[in-house]
Every structure is written in structure tokens, then in C-alpha cells.
Amino acid sequence: MRKDLGVKPAIFPMPVLMVATYNEDGTVDCMNAAWGMMADMNKVILNLTETHKTVSNIKARGAFTVSIADNGHIAESDFLGMVSANNVKDKFERTGLHAIKSNFVDAPIIEEYPITIECKFIEYQGGENGCGVVGEIVNVSADTKVLDEDENVLVEKLNAIMYDPFLHGYYQVGNKVGQAFSDGSKLK
Ligand SMILES: Cc1cc2nc3c(=O)[nH]c(=O)nc-3n(C[C@H](O)[C@H](O)[C@H](O)COP(=O)(O)O)c2cc1C
């Protein structure tokens, strides 16, 4: 038996993306965003509400970074999704996290998150059907502890978390269970 559940966000998993920007005074802001994804091979789309401080910062500086939240920083990542730099000026400082400037764009990299996508702002798509922030990836940087000797990112070392839109849980990404573009070959 199946039940119709109506209209709701029902794609799982959703990522836990940490979007970092500079405020006008050079301090750091960072927000939690689950509504985000890759577009094409070098673009990122983030469905961010236009009134967030992050969006003003992205428009002002033309840049942002996106990190993947990890299991070691759940409270900090959640807090960054609950409090706005529009109201709390020392929002980022309160987390105890640390940031350095990207070598590629005018935006901060949060040192504690192991992998960061550095983006140039392309446009904000507003309106009822707009997708929000569109950015172009200009670099990806990663802590060497999550890389193999050929500089491939080892997902099992990220301790990445994902977001459950049904009951708002955070889950750690689990075991590898298959290989894309390969396991299906036996049915060809
Ligand atoms: C798990 C989680 C996911 C979120 N995803 C989004 C999102 O995709 N888009 C969005 O606009 N806000 C999202 N938020 C809310 C923002 O992170 C929140 O409003 C934040 O305070 C904005 O900060 P800022 O004003 O300093 O930019 C999310 C919050 C949480 C806790």
C-alpha cells in the first residue's frame, strides 16, 4: 500500500553546505544551506533567500565559498543555520571556527571543513521560479588528510553529513556500496 503525502521537499539526501562570505567590515559570515547542488561540471546553484546576509555579501563581493559540513562540527554548522549576521554581528566568532582568505576569490575558507569550493558569483535568480545564487567554481581546495596520493578526494575521509528534509535530522554519509558507471554493466 502507498500513501500520497502531498507536496513537500522529498529529495534525500540533501547536502549540508556551509556558505562563507565576507561582511562589509571584513568579518566572516557563514550560513548552512541544504538547498544546493552542482549544475553542469563547474557551476553551483544555491537556493538562498535573498534577505540573508550571505546573499547581500555575495552580491557586494562577487564571491563566496561552499564547504561540506562534517560530523566533527555539527553544533557549529547548525548554529550557523539558526542565527543571521543581519542580527548577530559576531555570529561566526561565536562558533570558535577559523577562516583564511581564499587565494582565488574574495571570500573566506573555513579551515575546519576539509573541502571547500571557491566560487565567483554569476547571478542571483529571483522571482517565484528563480534558483537563487548561481556561482562558477574557480578552485576546489581540500585538506591533504582527505586526499589519496593522486589528489583524489576520499569521500570516506570527509565524515560528511547530510540533511533529512522530513524530520530535519543530520546523518553521516555511510559505507560505499557500489561503483557508478560500472555496477550496471552486468545487465547490459
Ligand atoms: C539544516 C539547514 C538548512 C538550511 N538551508 C537553507 C537553504 O538552503 N537556503 C536558505 O536560504 N536558508 C537555509 N537555511 C537557513 C539559513 O542558514 C539561516 O537563515 C541563516 O541564519 C542565514 O544566515 P545569514 O543571514 O547570516 O546569511 C538552513 C538552515 C538549516 C539549519
Side-chain angles (χ1 to χ4, degrees):
M1 188 179 82
R2 294 181 73 84
K3 276 206 156 186
D4 295 324
L5 302 178
V7 179
K8 50 172 69 202
I11 288 183
F12 175 80
M14 293 177 85
V16 182
L17 303 175
M18 305 310 301
V19 186
T21 55
Y22 283 123
N23 296 313
E24 53 279 0
D25 62 0
T27 57
V28 172
D29 187 19
C30 183
M31 68 164 274
N32 183 325
W35 276 253
M37 64 179 146
M38 287 298 306
D40 207 338
M41 298 301 279
N42 67 337
K43 289 187 192 65
V44 165
I45 291 186
L46 301 172
N47 189 204
L48 305 187
T49 303
E50 199 162 12
T51 49
H52 289 337
K53 185 71 168 88
T54 298
V55 176
S56 324
N57 291 346
I58 290 173
K59 288 177 179 169
R61 300 264 181 159
F64 61 95
T65 69
V66 180
S67 297
I68 296 173
D70 69 333
N71 190 359
H73 302 96
I74 289 180
E76 295 89 337
S77 304
D78 195 46
F79 170 81
L80 290 166
M82 297 166 67
V83 169
S84 172
N86 281 325
N87 312 314
V88 177
K89 293 298 159 205
D90 62 345
K91 169 185 173 181
F92 181 71
E93 249 175 66
R94 290 190 193 193
T95 63
L97 297 172
H98 302 90
I100 53 169
K101 189 178 181 304
S102 158
N103 289 327
F104 294 84
V105 294
D106 190 10
I109 292 175
I110 315 298
E111 291 182 284
E112 284 81 356
Y113 296 124
I115 182 162
T116 302
I117 302 162
E118 300 157 60
C119 295
K120 186 172 83 176
F121 175 52
I122 296 180
E123 65 174 358
Y124 186 88
Q125 299 178 351
E128 210 186 324
N129 298 311
C131 291
V133 171
V134 183
E136 181 188 331
I137 300 174
V138 295
N139 186 52
V140 174
S141 59
D143 192 314
T144 51
K145 73 182 179 207
V146 302
L147 300 178
D148 69 11
E149 58 279 4
D150 297 321
E151 299 187 348
N152 295 303
V153 176
L154 297 170
V155 167
E156 58 270 32
K157 295 207 168 165
L158 289 177
N159 297 323
I161 55 169
M162 50 200 173
Y163 172 68
D164 140 34
F166 304 107
L167 290 171
H168 313 297
Y170 293 117
Y171 289 78
Q172 180 162 344
V173 174
N175 302 329
K176 182 174 179 182
V177 292
Q179 188 67 38
F181 305 107
S182 172
D183 289 346
S185 305
K186 57 179 151 228
L187 298 180
K188 267 189 175 171

